[in-house]
Amino acid sequence: RDYTASTMKLCAAAVLVVVVAPAVAHAFAPSTTFVCESLSLNIGRDPNVDLGGNAWKPDSEKMGATDTGDYFPEGYDPNAIAYTEGMGGSQAMLGGNRDGPQLPGLENLGADAVVTGGIEVNTEIPEGMEFIPSSVPDGEFEMRVFASASAMEQPLMVAPICMTFEDYYAGFSKDSHPSLSVSPAVGRMDRRGGEPTELIVTCDPRGQSGTFSGDLVINLPEDNSKICYKINVVSQ
């Protein structure tokens, strides 16, 4: 029995070795899944491949823009402009210096220009505007005229008081002497610190002598303000 049992165990072990051995051998065998073949690319042998780089250069062989806009007319030569063009600045055009080629589409610039919009200045006193003097005038103005002489004019310089350019309307109050008038009655006054506005005060006594007085009122409706002067005229 002992011999038979030992023989059976030995046979079973042999069978196990035979079964396991192929599996172990397969585990150490290289897998064909991860095997890659080596490839070589011989670019230099292709006659259509240029390995010399980009040898193109512009005609001038200098750095600069090489593209040309499609809005230049045929035959337009930008190099025809002289180096002195534009040296006169914006004032050069005032002297009639229009020599040299112009940009395409601007050859006739200014010849048939039509200005629309812009700054508009009123030329008439608005209907219904009243010239009411202040209780205390901003200044006094005196004149001397000859009763037998013709109308006499004298300038009055009015300093601007507004922060921006303002339209003004000048006139005498209703109780002023009828011989007094002012011009221009309508205009635009400079902003504060700018040039003063010159008004011409006229007195036409028409043979009358004495002392004439009137209140000159300069309305600034956009600024909701006014400038008033007391005008005194001595006619002899």
Side-chain angles (χ1 to χ4, degrees), residues 5 27 36 40 48 64 119 150 177 204 209 211-212 229:
C36 297
S40 60
N48 296 324
I119 299 177
S150 58
H177 196 272
D204 187 6
S209 59
T211 301
F212 311 144
Y229 284 91

Side-chain angles (χ1 to χ4, degrees), residues 65-95:
T66 57
D67 55 338
T68 303
D70 56 358
Y71 48 82
F72 288 108
E74 183 178 357
Y76 177 74
D77 185 9
N79 297 323
I81 301 177
Y83 74 95
T84 56
E85 183 73 18
M87 284 188 176
S90 59
Q91 302 300 319
M93 301 299 290
L94 300 179

Side-chain angles (χ1 to χ4, degrees), residues 43-121:
I43 300 178
R45 298 181 181 179
D46 191 345
N48 296 324
V49 178
D50 183 7
L51 300 179
N54 187 4
W56 178 89
K57 292 182 180 180
D59 296 337
S60 60
E61 296 185 357
K62 297 180 180 180
M63 298 298 294
T66 57
D67 55 338
T68 303
D70 56 358
Y71 48 82
F72 288 108
E74 183 178 357
Y76 177 74
D77 185 9
N79 297 323
I81 301 177
Y83 74 95
T84 56
E85 183 73 18
M87 284 188 176
S90 59
Q91 302 300 319
M93 301 299 290
L94 300 179
N97 182 15
R98 294 173 178 263
D99 297 334
Q102 300 293 329
L103 293 177
L106 300 179
E107 296 85 353
N108 198 30
L109 179 63
D112 55 352
V114 177
V115 179
T116 59
I119 299 177
E120 297 180 357
V121 180

Side-chain angles (χ1 to χ4, degrees), residues 59-186:
D59 296 337
S60 60
E61 296 185 357
K62 297 180 180 180
M63 298 298 294
T66 57
D67 55 338
T68 303
D70 56 358
Y71 48 82
F72 288 108
E74 183 178 357
Y76 177 74
D77 185 9
N79 297 323
I81 301 177
Y83 74 95
T84 56
E85 183 73 18
M87 284 188 176
S90 59
Q91 302 300 319
M93 301 299 290
L94 300 179
N97 182 15
R98 294 173 178 263
D99 297 334
Q102 300 293 329
L103 293 177
L106 300 179
E107 296 85 353
N108 198 30
L109 179 63
D112 55 352
V114 177
V115 179
T116 59
I119 299 177
E120 297 180 357
V121 180
N122 293 327
T123 58
E124 297 181 357
I125 297 177
E127 184 178 358
M129 176 174 286
E130 296 181 343
F131 297 94
I132 302 175
S134 303
S135 57
V136 179
D138 297 295
E140 293 186 3
F141 185 75
E142 294 183 356
M143 295 177 59
R144 288 186 177 272
V145 298
F146 294 99
S148 59
S150 58
M152 180 178 179
E153 299 178 351
Q154 190 164 336
L156 171 63
M157 306 304 293
V158 181
I161 62 172
C162 302
M163 298 300 295
T164 59
F165 295 91
E166 297 290 345
D167 293 338
Y168 73 85
Y169 304 93
F172 282 90
S173 60
K174 293 181 179 180
D175 57 352
S176 299
H177 196 272
S179 64
L180 298 174
S181 61
V182 63
S183 63
V186 179

